[in-house]
Amino acid sequence: MKKLFTIIAFIWSVASFAQNEQLANNYFEKGEFEKALVIYESLNDKQPGNIFFSQRMAACYQQLQQYAKAEKLLKDKADSTGQPLLLVELGYNYQLQQNMAEANKYYEQAIDAVRQNPSFVYTVANTFEKKVLAEQALKAYEVAKQGNPNMNFDYQIALLQGQLGNMELMIESLLNYAYNNPQNLPVVQNQLARFMNEESPESFNDALRKQLLLNTQKTQDLFWNEFLSWYFVQQRDYGKAFIQEKAIYKRDPDSFINIISLARLAVEENEEETAREILGFILENTQDPATLMDANAYILKMDIAKAQEKDYAAIKQRIDALLAQFGVTPYSLDLQILKADFEAFHLKDTQAGIATLNTALKLQLNKYQSAEVKMKLSDILLLDEKFNQAIIYYAQIEEDLKNDPIGHEASLKVARSSYFKGDFDWAQKQLKVLKSSSSQLIANDALELFLLITDNTVEDSTQTALKKFARADFMLYRNKKQEALNEFKNLIATDKTESIQDITRLRLGKLYEQSGQYDLALQYYKEIIDNYAEGIYIDEALFFSAEIYNKHLQDPEKAKPLYEKVLFEHEDSIYFVEARREFRQLRGDMTS
């Protein structure tokens, strides 16, 4: 029994000590240094060998400008423990008092301790780094390496060189570290990516690219080709990444999976020309059925997106031929869903699309595959104006995959179906929850629709304009583009609800852009830029206009100022990163 009481008392003591430490830390973080100091002093009395408490006490004294107390504490602790990191703390105490001569004296003493015993570098250099004393930390690492050549601090030294503004040295050191420690390659690439995404990385990106190219020329090691491919992917220059991947594949056929991944990425980023080139290479160099099927499906999707009605028969024949080749199985499910979508949305044969999906549902599918089929089935039922049936299927997916992105997508489609139907109140309830979805894409779409309904309900309680707009949007969903175009134009001409005007012009601009009528698209975007500069669609009008000038009309001088406006006036835009990349490319920062 006595032993039990002893154990309980010990556990209670440990718990109480930990609780006090947490309380002290909380006071410290909130800037309540007097309260924190009282508790740290108590903790220090109980554990005099714990240097952390001494450091925190010294920091409290310094915040309270009681430098003499901090000095005495640190000197006593340094004498009793012999820990040179406390010499750094002492030097910093003098630095805070603008006494750099004394500060440097103690910093040198700490570095001398590392010279005598290189293992001290870990605590000494770390303390220098915490005090943002990069030069002293760098010297400590270099002294330790001289004393023990087996020690490797290339990574730490590289980051310190970066802090000191020596970017080329940092790049060289990081690349050498990655080459000598390939298991740490992701860590290095994460660090480099951070610098590549800073506000003004042009010189950094250029220096990194040059160093990588130099390394590929100096050695035949595929490591550098792979690294260069990674670099181009970060720059979203998938064509140049593909050149590197082809070079790698010639020497290492097992790397083919990387080319497949690159193709997917190019497709997802709508880099169609590059995607087609990579997919063509894949079709020429593989006999794997799944890969062949996926590559053909990607090409079909791009062809369908650009197809005119006269092309439909040939596309249907291609889809049927692929399904005959690969069979109607769970492995060809994506192809079956593509077939159903094409039948319903392009051939306008919703019954055929539904029949294709009902056949797919009879296969041995997992819950995610079933959800994909039901999602497309719901989309087709909605296309057929069977709102309630569509919502029931969406709701099933929502229920089956509650906390999954697919479940959230189904929830968004329930809200959108209610919006198309004109049931704006119910749509709002759904969208209010989805605005905070963990999926950024779904959250953005939900917020956009939520604001559309809210803005047009505040100005017009009868929601007359909103009903017309939703009807036109539904025509757009049903791929009835000319009817949608007419509805949107009629809305601008006949309805003077201010809040509906800019979004309607945005829809018209996008429709004309998709049909290649760029002059009309630019006209509507310009009306938004000129007349609705305070609205929420101004960044889209600017970015879409810039894209037309840049990628379709080959007029970079007109594109540049539009991208620039997105950068400097709309930093919260979802198009900010893309606008920055295109602007820098046009300005000549991203060279080949």
Side-chain angles (χ1 to χ4, degrees), residues 21 25 38 128 154 178 186 246 254 261 301 332 449 462 484 567:
E21 183 179 352
N25 292 340
V38 171
F128 276 132
D154 289 348
K246 281 194 293 186
D254 290 339
S261 298
K301 285 176 187 175
S332 66
L449 189 51
T462 64
L567 295 186

Side-chain angles (χ1 to χ4, degrees), residues 83-151:
Q83 288 293 331
L85 70 89
L86 293 167
L87 298 172
V88 178
E89 295 283 2
L90 267 166
Y92 188 68
N93 194 57
Y94 280 108
Q95 183 170 332
L96 291 173
Q97 300 172 73
Q98 309 300 316
N99 187 346
M100 287 308 299
E102 279 299 301
N104 288 329
K105 184 178 80 173
Y106 281 104
Y107 293 156
E108 284 302 322
Q109 286 181 25
I111 292 169
D112 281 340
V114 172
R115 192 173 281 111
Q116 298 300 318
N117 184 350
S119 64
F120 279 138
V121 71
Y122 298 104
T123 55
V124 168
N126 183 256
T127 308
F128 276 132
E129 288 185 59
K130 285 180 178 177
K131 305 298 183 188
V132 199
L133 298 166
E135 289 184 1
Q136 289 85 348
L138 193 60
K139 188 172 180 181
Y141 284 126
E142 287 169 349
V143 164
K145 281 179 68 176
Q146 289 168 8
N148 184 352
N150 292 324
M151 286 181 160

Side-chain angles (χ1 to χ4, degrees), residues 20 88 98 111 129 141 153 204 258 325 376 401 477 483 491 535-536:
N20 286 339
V88 178
Q98 309 300 316
I111 292 169
E129 288 185 59
Y141 284 126
F153 303 110
F204 178 85
N258 295 335
Q325 179 182 350
K376 185 55 65 180
L401 298 166
Y477 173 80
E483 291 93 326
L491 184 56
I536 61 173

